[in-house]
Amino acid sequence: MDSFGDIIRAEREKRNLYLRQVAAAMEIDQALISKFEKGDRKPTKEQVEKFADYFELNREEMITAWLSDKIVYTIQDEEFAENALKVAEKRIKYLKKHDK
């Protein structure tokens, strides 16, 4: 499972692009993109969508990778992380069902 940063680095390298080229085209600071690729900083949802558009990638997959990263980095060191994920999944399903 690739992180958001892994995905954008792989896409950039596959296209033989330098960080500065992507940064200029997307109007995002080169150092910031480098931090995204390394996982040192998390992009906003809008930035994720911008990367999906720029690299012509599936938005849903990119947002899913981004959300997954956010969850993993938040709870990875917690003793009951897996249990919490199971409960959260049930709550999301419940809320979606009862939100309609």
Side-chain angles (χ1 to χ4, degrees):
M1 285 188 255
D2 290 333
S3 69
F4 173 80
D6 293 335
I7 294 168
I8 62 170
R9 181 178 46 249
E11 288 299 321
R12 180 178 60 77
E13 290 174 350
K14 184 169 77 173
R15 291 168 169 76
N16 294 315
L17 296 171
Y18 293 107
L19 275 171
R20 69 177 178 270
Q21 292 172 297
V22 175
M26 294 184 62
E27 299 179 343
I28 297 176
D29 186 76
Q30 178 178 331
L32 191 56
I33 295 174
S34 176
K35 289 178 182 182
F36 293 160
E37 288 186 358
K38 294 176 187 173
D40 293 339
R41 183 126 179 227
K42 304 297 170 246
T44 64
K45 184 177 181 182
E46 292 76 22
Q47 289 168 325
V48 171
E49 292 171 338
K50 199 170 184 177
F51 276 102
D53 292 343
Y54 178 76
F55 287 121
E56 298 178 340
L57 299 171
N58 182 291
R59 274 184 178 219
E60 181 180 342
E61 290 175 10
M62 295 295 287
I63 292 172
T64 299
W66 169 72
L67 284 171
S68 173
D69 287 350
K70 287 177 69 166
I71 294 166
V72 168
Y73 292 121
T74 301
I75 69 171
Q76 69 182 347
D77 295 325
E78 296 294 332
E79 181 180 357
F80 305 110
E82 290 180 41
N83 291 342
L85 284 173
K86 291 174 189 172
V87 171
E89 181 180 23
K90 289 178 186 176
R91 287 182 66 195
I92 289 169
K93 288 178 182 177
Y94 174 84
L95 291 171
K96 283 188 175 190
K97 182 177 178 183
H98 291 87
D99 190 34
K100 294 180 180 178

